[in-house]
């Protein structure tokens, strides 16, 4: 498992509609393991492949509490089969937009089909934080960021901060 650099918005790779994986082979398992290592190191509760520069339909999540055992879920080709009609606001952040948060409205529950780390077909029904996290990560593999759910005014405010943060990071890296 190797930690990989996380790509910050704005970046074209984060706007890319990712391609499905043909099968969960050793390469995809290695990608999932790197994604988990990167997510835990950040730390974060979810990560999508494009955030480490890989435009494939792979996401990982773990919404377990700090005092609970880890509960990583690796999903290849995740597909939302059903969404609740009821929606709720939940504050979201993103490892590609560090330290920036906003309330996003989403369905409170979803049912998702996917291939697990062994390539077996699975279905998961999620509510609460896991439902938020799955929808956020599945958005990523369609090239959608949580800021894309906000008003243009709020989105522009956050993206301006990101442009500045990226400039500062590039300056620090060059120094
Ligand atoms: Ni994110």
């Amino acid at each position: 498992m190797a930690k990989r650099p996380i790509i910050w918005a704005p970046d074209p790779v984060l706007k890319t509609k990712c391609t499905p994986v043909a099968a969960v082979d050793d390469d995809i398992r290695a990608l999932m393991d790197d994604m988990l290592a990167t997510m835990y190191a950040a730390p974060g509760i979810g990560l999508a492949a494009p955030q480490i520069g890989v435009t494939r339909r792979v996401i990982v999540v773990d919404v377990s509490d700090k005092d609970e055992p880890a509960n990583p879920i690796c999903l290849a080709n995740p597909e939302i089969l059903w969404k609740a009609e009821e929606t709720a606001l939940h504050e979201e952040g993103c490892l590609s937009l560090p330290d920036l948060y906003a309330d996003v409205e989403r369905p409170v529950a979803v049912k998702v089909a996917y291939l697990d780390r062994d390539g077996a077909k699975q279905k998961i029904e999620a509510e609460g934080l896991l439902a938020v996290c799955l929808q956020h990560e599945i958005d990523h593999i369609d090239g959608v960021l949580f800021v894309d759910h906000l008003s243009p005014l709020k989105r522009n405010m956050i993206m301006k901060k990101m442009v500045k943060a990226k400039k500062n990071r590039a300056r620090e890296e060059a120094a």
Side-chain angles (χ1 to χ4, degrees), residues 46-72:
L47 191 77
Q51 293 181 274
I52 57 166
V54 180
T55 54
R56 308 302 301 280
R57 301 185 76 80
V58 177
I59 65 172
V60 297
V61 302
D62 184 346
V63 299
S64 61
D65 272 332
K66 280 187 210 114
D67 49 353
E68 285 174 352
N71 182 26

Side-chain angles (χ1 to χ4, degrees), residues 51 93-95 136-137 140:
Q51 293 181 274
C94 180
L95 295 176
H136 176 117
E137 301 311 331
H140 268 300

Side-chain angles (χ1 to χ4, degrees), residues 33-133:
D33 291 345
D34 282 2
M35 288 170 62
L36 284 172
T38 306
M39 178 186 82
Y40 287 128
I45 59 171
L47 191 77
Q51 293 181 274
I52 57 166
V54 180
T55 54
R56 308 302 301 280
R57 301 185 76 80
V58 177
I59 65 172
V60 297
V61 302
D62 184 346
V63 299
S64 61
D65 272 332
K66 280 187 210 114
D67 49 353
E68 285 174 352
N71 182 26
I73 310 173
C74 300
L75 305 90
N77 301 344
E79 196 188 327
I80 294 179
L81 301 174
W82 170 86
K83 291 177 184 185
E85 273 177 41
E86 187 189 346
T87 62
L89 281 175
H90 193 277
E91 188 179 64
E92 294 186 25
C94 180
L95 295 176
S96 293
L97 295 102
D99 304 320
L100 298 168
Y101 303 90
D103 284 339
V104 178
E105 185 175 11
R106 298 186 189 271
V108 294
V110 287
K111 195 187 278 183
V112 176
Y114 64 100
L115 301 176
D116 69 16
R117 205 177 168 281
D118 299 316
K121 282 185 185 169
Q122 302 284 356
K123 273 181 200 165
I124 188 170
E125 261 188 83
E127 55 179 17
L129 183 58
L130 182 58
V132 171
C133 190

